[in-house]
Amino acid sequence: MGWRWLLAGLLCCGAASAAAVDSLELDALTSPELRERIAGGTTTVLLPIGGTEQSGPHLALGKHNQRVHALSLQIAQRLGRTLVAPVLAYVPEGEIDPPAAHMRYAGTLSIPEPAFEAVLVAAAQSLCHHGFRDVVLLGDHGGYQRNLEQVAARLERDRARSARPACRTHALAEYYRTAQTTYVDALRARGFGGDEIGTHAGLADTALTLALDPTLVRPDRLARGAGASKDGVQGDPRRATAELGQIGVKLIVDTTVAAIQKRLTTPDRPRETPHVQPPR
């Protein structure tokens, strides 16, 4: 029996290793595996940005982090030759002392805008250093969209002055904008009103989360938090369903994939072999 258990273990481990090598997640790869993927043409990387913030009594604090991770994997799968970097969960959420915005509610984590931008700059520079040609910033929260634009603009100015201008950084506004416009329009067309759809933890926000990770939603607390701004909710989540959320998921993924493809085919830089650093 011993050899059979050994063989089964080897087969299991081999399958797991093969799955890891094929992973879309950068941090599931080893350093040599990443070098091989980049050398083989996987030169686009998505940098998902979430946030740790209150979303009323019915949505978990990590809603943005889990959501942007799940959507980024779908987008990368559709694009091909694309990896997903680890999610940045620490973002500006308001003043800490005295507390403002989401910091007025337990569990929200906030960092200063300069620190946030510095982390994004360094993360993008790191990814470029290893041979990626396009770094795409995907932000799931509205409060820092301007920061993403400023970071991308700074890195693009640096790229213009560089002797090796091979790596671009994109702040993809279409990702977040779709959730706030096209998706809202689709819900309105189905008879839902603006007060119900909401702007934070309402029907739209809750439905998207149900579609992507229902474990983040507390169904028994939907009614208690409905429309109560004192509980951190702007909107009414009680009629949210995963089916309604899937409408938004499809719109966000389709729009983001199309926007990235358009940017990747814009010939604004010399075509050259990716520069991959040797291991140290």
Side-chain angles (χ1 to χ4, degrees), residues 86-279:
V87 174
L88 179 58
Y90 298 88
V91 308
E93 293 283 4
E95 294 295 328
I96 297 173
D97 188 19
H102 293 300
M103 278 303 301
R104 295 173 295 151
Y105 303 89
T108 301
L109 302 177
S110 187
I111 64 171
E113 290 189 11
F116 174 64
E117 292 187 9
V119 169
L120 284 175
V121 167
Q125 289 174 332
S126 297
L127 294 165
C128 289
H129 173 77
H130 297 308
F132 287 104
R133 294 168 64 90
D134 289 278
V135 179
V136 182
L137 309 179
L138 297 180
D140 204 68
H141 175 45
Y144 50 63
Q145 296 297 315
R146 174 179 55 85
N147 302 104
L148 303 190
E149 293 287 350
Q150 291 177 173
V151 165
R154 171 184 165 179
L155 289 168
E156 284 299 282
R157 288 194 298 270
D158 292 345
R159 184 175 75 91
R161 295 191 293 265
S162 173
R164 298 181 60 85
C167 182
R168 297 184 294 185
T169 302
H170 313 268
L172 206 79
E174 291 89 343
Y175 171 91
Y176 179 74
R177 186 186 302 137
T178 300
Q180 306 304 310
T181 56
T182 313
Y183 179 38
V184 170
D185 292 342
L187 292 174
R188 287 182 181 275
R190 286 163 174 78
F192 298 99
D195 289 343
E196 184 176 14
I197 293 168
T199 58
H200 182 73
L203 181 139
D205 211 359
T206 304
L208 274 177
T209 308
L210 281 169
L212 292 165
D213 189 347
T215 67
L216 302 176
V217 182
R218 310 291 187 262
D220 59 321
R221 299 192 177 184
L222 288 172
R224 185 168 63 180
S229 59
K230 64 182 178 61
D231 287 332
V233 177
Q234 287 83 45
D236 187 341
R238 288 177 291 182
R239 291 203 291 167
T241 65
E243 289 73 23
L244 289 173
Q246 285 296 344
I247 297 168
V249 169
K250 186 177 188 306
L251 287 169
I252 292 168
V253 172
D254 288 350
T255 302
T256 303
V257 167
I260 293 174
Q261 288 173 332
K262 182 177 180 179
R263 296 200 185 200
L264 295 185
T265 56
T266 302
D268 68 347
R269 59 153 189 257
R271 296 290 178 180
E272 53 183 64
T273 303
H275 175 57
V276 182
Q277 287 293 117

Side-chain angles (χ1 to χ4, degrees), residues 66-91:
Q66 301 304 319
R67 203 159 70 190
V68 74
H69 179 253
L71 287 166
S72 293
L73 289 174
Q74 291 191 36
I75 292 163
Q77 180 71 46
R78 286 269 302 276
L79 286 169
R81 296 179 179 270
T82 302
L83 292 178
V84 178
V87 174
L88 179 58
Y90 298 88
V91 308

